[in-house]
């Protein structure tokens, strides 16, 4: 499968730069970006998904999660 034309580029999202929570981990922070990424392991068929990046409150390393796991605070 060919790489999607918008792979690894930012996808518009209503909650960008706003306070959010990752419902999978409970992490609260700011939604910094949503990117289209290949989430499959090496040797397996490609699987493209929108991945959200949340910067925790107080700073630190951004958490990645499925965009469906992001909710507004």
């Amino acid at each position: 499968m060919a790489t999607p034309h918008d792979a690894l580029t930012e996808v518009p999202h209503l909650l960008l730069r706003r306070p959010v929570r990752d419902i999978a981990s409970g992490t609260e922070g700011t939604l910094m970006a949503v990117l289209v990424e290949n989430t499959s392991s090496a040797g397996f068929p490609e699987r493209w998904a929108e991945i959200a990046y949340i910067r925790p409150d107080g700073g630190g390393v951004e958490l990645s999660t499925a965009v469906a796991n992001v909710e507004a605070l």
Side-chain angles (χ1 to χ4, degrees), residues 6 8-9 11 16-17 19-22 26 28 44 51-52 54 60:
D6 56 353
L8 300 178
T9 58
V11 176
L16 279 174
R17 309 286 187 257
V20 297
R21 175 184 299 115
D22 171 26
E28 294 182 355
F44 289 89
I51 305 298
I54 299 171

Side-chain angles (χ1 to χ4, degrees), residues 3-67:
T3 302
H5 72 281
D6 56 353
L8 300 178
T9 58
E10 192 164 345
V11 176
H13 195 282
L14 292 174
L15 297 176
L16 279 174
R17 309 286 187 257
R18 298 185 187 269
V20 297
R21 175 184 299 115
D22 171 26
I23 60 173
S25 69
T27 299
E28 294 182 355
T30 303
L31 180 62
M32 301 306 294
V34 176
L35 303 177
V36 175
E37 296 183 14
N38 182 356
T39 60
S40 66
S41 298
F44 289 89
E46 293 179 346
R47 182 177 57 203
W48 296 90
E50 291 183 355
I51 305 298
Y53 287 86
I54 299 171
R55 181 171 296 157
D57 290 338
V61 177
E62 292 177 4
L63 163 82
S64 61
T65 190
V67 75

